[in-house]
Amino acid sequence: MAYTLQMKEPLNFNYLNCEPLHMEAVDGFHSHPYYEIYYFHTGKCNYIIGDQVHVLEPGDLILMHGMTLHQAHPEPVVPYIRTTLHFYPSVIEEYVQPEKAKRLLEPFERLSNEVIHLSNAQQTEVELIFTQMNELFQGHEERDFTYDRFVFKLCDFLTMTALFSETAMKHRRILSDKEEHLQRIITYLEVHYMEEINLSNIASALHLSKPYMAALFKELTGTTIIKYLYQRRINQAKLLFRLQPDLSVTEVSRKAGFKQISHFSRTFKQAAGCTPEAYRTSQGSWLR
């Protein structure tokens, strides 16, 4: 099931992470209320963000707004190495004037979740900054000067990536047939997740055979279409609880695409580890 990550500290930096993902436990799809910078060092990995599928190449940089449902699906037999940086926008806003902070955070606020294919020279520059950031992050104590230097280095990095993103749209890679089919399936789910749909509906609408469609989705994402559909609905429910705290659990269930409140409650608890009522209460407390 999809799940929403929370972060106790305002930022977290994970340099050259080579830990394998345990996809079987959570199917990989998740969201979080903070921004993410993801850099792909090596391996074979499909990265799915919303209704877009990206076949990553070493040196790819992703700037993500965390509330979009996303997952990495790496090839398990190939070493998978990535660097990730998660941070709340308040980290930047505390150190930079409002207009400057707005410009630095614009790639995240646009919700375009950009994937930037860096040149060799750009990769070298990014990896050097990550090395410097890692040295600072490993040595910092909360609110000391080393922490300040890390945040300023992050601001420098965001300034650099703003320049990279200006030309990113000009170099989109052409998708393979399988990737196009996967993107069409996810787009269909994004549009129709509130409706009663099944594999036959989707296959008919997209002019694909049901067995081929199911096998392709499983191959490229590591999960099934129906599991993804429920994940999408649960993610929508979490967004509604967070952004519209006055809605009742029944209203959220209906708006997220569930026809029976009992099914919603059971599925939500499996995904979030708590009941919808408890999650709603926790979000209300957070907003206060």
Side-chain angles (χ1 to χ4, degrees):
M1 282 295 173
Y3 57 104
T4 301
L5 300 174
Q6 300 293 331
M7 188 167 61
K8 294 180 180 179
E9 302 298 329
L11 62 82
N12 185 57
F13 185 63
N14 199 337
Y15 180 61
L16 290 177
N17 183 5
C18 58
E19 292 294 318
L21 294 183
H22 301 290
M23 307 292 287
E24 66 278 0
V26 294
D27 294 314
F29 286 99
H30 60 280
S31 62
H32 43 72
Y34 42 82
Y35 298 155
E36 178 172 351
I37 296 168
Y38 172 102
Y39 182 75
F40 183 55
H41 291 273
T42 188
K44 293 183 66 176
C45 182
N46 294 331
Y47 211 111
I48 301 165
I49 312 170
D51 64 350
Q52 301 288 313
V53 56
H54 306 276
V55 180
L56 298 185
E57 301 172 1
D60 281 353
L61 177 70
I62 309 178
L63 308 178
M64 272 188 285
H65 188 287
M67 290 310 291
T68 305
L69 194 65
H70 58 281
Q71 74 132 312
H73 182 62
E75 179 65 44
V77 299
V78 179
Y80 171 50
I81 303 176
R82 67 279 187 197
T83 290
T84 56
L85 195 157
H86 301 110
F87 67 100
Y88 288 100
S90 58
V91 170
I92 303 301
E93 293 164 350
E94 184 178 349
Y95 281 78
V96 181
Q97 292 179 348
E99 285 303 312
K100 294 289 186 181
K102 183 178 179 180
R103 287 184 61 189
L104 292 179
L105 298 174
E106 186 179 6
F108 303 94
E109 290 295 337
R110 283 200 303 262
L111 303 181
S112 56
N113 298 300
E114 294 187 57
V115 178
I116 306 173
H117 306 293
L118 301 180
S119 68
N120 290 337
Q122 290 170 338
Q123 291 177 39
T124 299
E125 189 173 6
V126 164
E127 291 172 14
L128 175 60
I129 289 184
F130 280 156
T131 300
Q132 296 168 343
M133 291 174 74
N134 185 58
E135 292 173 356
L136 293 169
F137 191 77
Q138 295 300 320
H140 89 275
E141 295 179 2
E142 189 174 0
R143 297 302 175 196
D144 70 359
F145 287 120
T146 308
Y147 178 90
D148 295 341
R149 290 182 62 200
F150 180 91
V151 176
F152 287 128
K153 183 65 69 173
L154 172 58
C155 291
D156 182 37
F157 177 83
L158 293 175
T159 302
M160 179 180 65
T161 56
L163 297 174
F164 294 163
S165 64
E166 288 183 356
T167 56
M169 295 296 294
K170 300 177 182 178
H171 303 285
R172 294 288 186 186
R173 190 182 60 82
I174 298 175
L175 298 179
S176 69
D177 289 343
K178 282 187 175 182
E179 293 157 16
E180 284 190 352
H181 290 326
L182 175 62
Q183 190 163 307
R184 289 172 61 215
I185 295 167
I186 294 177
T187 299
Y188 184 90
L189 295 175
E190 284 290 310
V191 173
H192 299 283
Y193 70 88
M194 291 184 63
E195 306 168 14
E196 278 196 67
I197 56 177
N198 54 42
L199 293 184
S200 296
N201 299 146
I202 303 168
S204 176
L206 300 181
H207 306 291
L208 298 171
S209 77
K210 188 162 65 172
Y212 171 79
M213 180 183 71
L216 179 148
F217 197 93
K218 178 72 173 178
E219 174 190 346
L220 294 185
T221 70
T223 191
T224 68
I225 293 173
I226 297 304
K227 282 184 177 180
Y228 181 90
L229 173 61
Y230 287 141
Q231 291 160 359
R232 180 63 183 88
R233 288 172 174 170
I234 292 298
N235 191 65
Q236 185 65 22
K238 290 176 178 178
L239 286 172
L240 291 170
F241 280 134
R242 182 177 179 82
L243 301 177
Q244 300 184 48
D246 293 333
L247 290 178
S248 69
V249 170
T250 300
E251 289 173 317
V252 168
S253 172
R254 177 178 54 81
K255 287 178 176 289
F258 287 90
K259 304 306 176 185
Q260 298 180 347
I261 186 67
S262 59
H263 185 207
F264 170 64
S265 296
R266 184 171 61 252
T267 306
F268 191 96
K269 188 172 183 179
Q270 290 174 346
C274 64
T275 65
E277 291 81 3
Y279 188 89
R280 179 173 178 266
T281 300
S282 71
Q283 295 303 297
S285 300
W286 185 88
L287 287 170
R288 290 194 293 273

